[in-house]
């Protein structure tokens, strides 16, 4: 049996991980040295984890295939995208609703899987994601729908997207243009919004103290983890330098150069005290007899 198909162990026995990808697992199209070893240890030990991405372009299957081609034998169940988080949020807000979408396949698929119809007239929501084929005509149409009452939602707040050839405008940049033109503030679902991080934690069946976020960006990965009380590990192989992170008011629990410097067993030991507290049974109060209650009431 392929090790990626093993059922995860009981999460009450240890930690679980929410792992960012770009800047942590790979940079551009290249695997970060040692990333495959760390994920391999999680798979071998049946430790629960999810890859998190603020990129809504690809479906979870597409993301898993990309990782497999880099030598990381994971399945789509290991992937949790901001498109999924956004579609699940909308399905709770207005089941069976409609959306005009500025985005690509990953976002469209997630919306369809959550009971949403994609329309080009009178939508309940205008949903903005990443895309390489976004046109000004699409933005103009979205603006008209927002001014007529459609609610504005973005899959993430990231102003740009890293590519192999450099940066390109991201979801946050497109949403900002619509915000400026309409005067309506977009609701963003992706990291650092607790909706996405909490959804991934619940999918793994973990408690707060059992959850560790590994990321390269202070404003999304680490901030989201800190806000929810998760353990956080910053890797310096991506978007944050050692000099830069020192200026933030919040701090990660651990800072390393690369995910290659991490070992699941050592992390479990480092966070052991908090983990023991999280799984320890709550002491039960001794039940008092009716006579004890009566006597107490007489005293007071």
């Amino acid at each position: 049996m392929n090790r990626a198909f093993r059922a995860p162990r009981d999460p009450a026995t240890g930690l679980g991980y929410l792992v960012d990808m770009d800047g942590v697992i790979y940079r551009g199209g290249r695997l970060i040295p040692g990333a495959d070893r760390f994920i391999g240890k999680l798979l071998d030990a049946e430790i629960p984890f999810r890859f998190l991405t603020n990129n809504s372009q690809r479906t979870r299957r597409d993301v898993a295939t990309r990782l497999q081609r880099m030598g990381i034998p994971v399945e789509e169940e290991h992937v949790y995208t901001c498109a999924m988080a956004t579609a699940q949020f909308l399905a709770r807000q207005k089941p069976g609703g409609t959306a005009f979408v500025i985005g690509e396949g990953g976002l469209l698929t997630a919306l369809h899987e959550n009971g949403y119809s994609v329309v080009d007239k009178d939508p309940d929501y205008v949903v903005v994601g990443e895309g390489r084929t976004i046109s000004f005509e699409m933005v103009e149409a979205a603006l008209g729908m927002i001014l007529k009452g459609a609610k504005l939602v973005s899959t993430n707040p990231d102003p740009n997207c890293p590519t192999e050839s450099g940066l390109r405008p991201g979801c946050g940049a497109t949403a900002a243009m619509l915000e400026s033109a309409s005067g309506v503030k977009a609701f963003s679902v992706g990291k650092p919004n607790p909706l996405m991080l909490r959804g991934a934690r619940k999918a793994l069946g973990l408690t707060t103290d059992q959850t560790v976020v590994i990321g390269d960006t202070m404003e999304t990965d680490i901030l989201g983890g800190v806000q929810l009380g998760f353990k956080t590990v910053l890797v310096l192989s991506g978007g944050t330098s050692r000099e830069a992170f020192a200026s933030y008011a919040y701090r990660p629990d651990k800072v390393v150069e690369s995910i290659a410097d991490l070992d699941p067993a050592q992390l479990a030991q480092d966070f052991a005290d908090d983990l023991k507290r999280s799984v320890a049974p709550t002491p039960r109060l001794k039940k008092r007899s009716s006579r004890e209650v009566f006597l107490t009431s007489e005293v007071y």
Side-chain angles (χ1 to χ4, degrees), residues 19-21 23-26 30-32 35 39 51 67 72 259:
V19 186
D20 184 38
M21 292 190 295
V24 178
I25 301 298
Y26 54 76
R30 295 185 178 182
L31 188 72
I32 290 176
I39 300 302
F51 289 114
L67 292 168
I72 299 179
I259 196 171

Side-chain angles (χ1 to χ4, degrees), residues 50 58-64 76-79 81 84:
R50 286 287 188 277
R58 297 182 177 87
T59 67
R60 64 196 310 207
R61 178 174 294 183
D62 296 336
V63 173
E76 59 182 283
E77 289 76 12
H78 291 108
V79 177
T81 72
M84 295 168 57

Side-chain angles (χ1 to χ4, degrees), residues 75-90:
E75 301 301 324
E76 59 182 283
E77 289 76 12
H78 291 108
V79 177
Y80 193 81
T81 72
C82 63
M84 295 168 57
T86 300
Q88 291 165 3
F89 164 75
L90 293 178

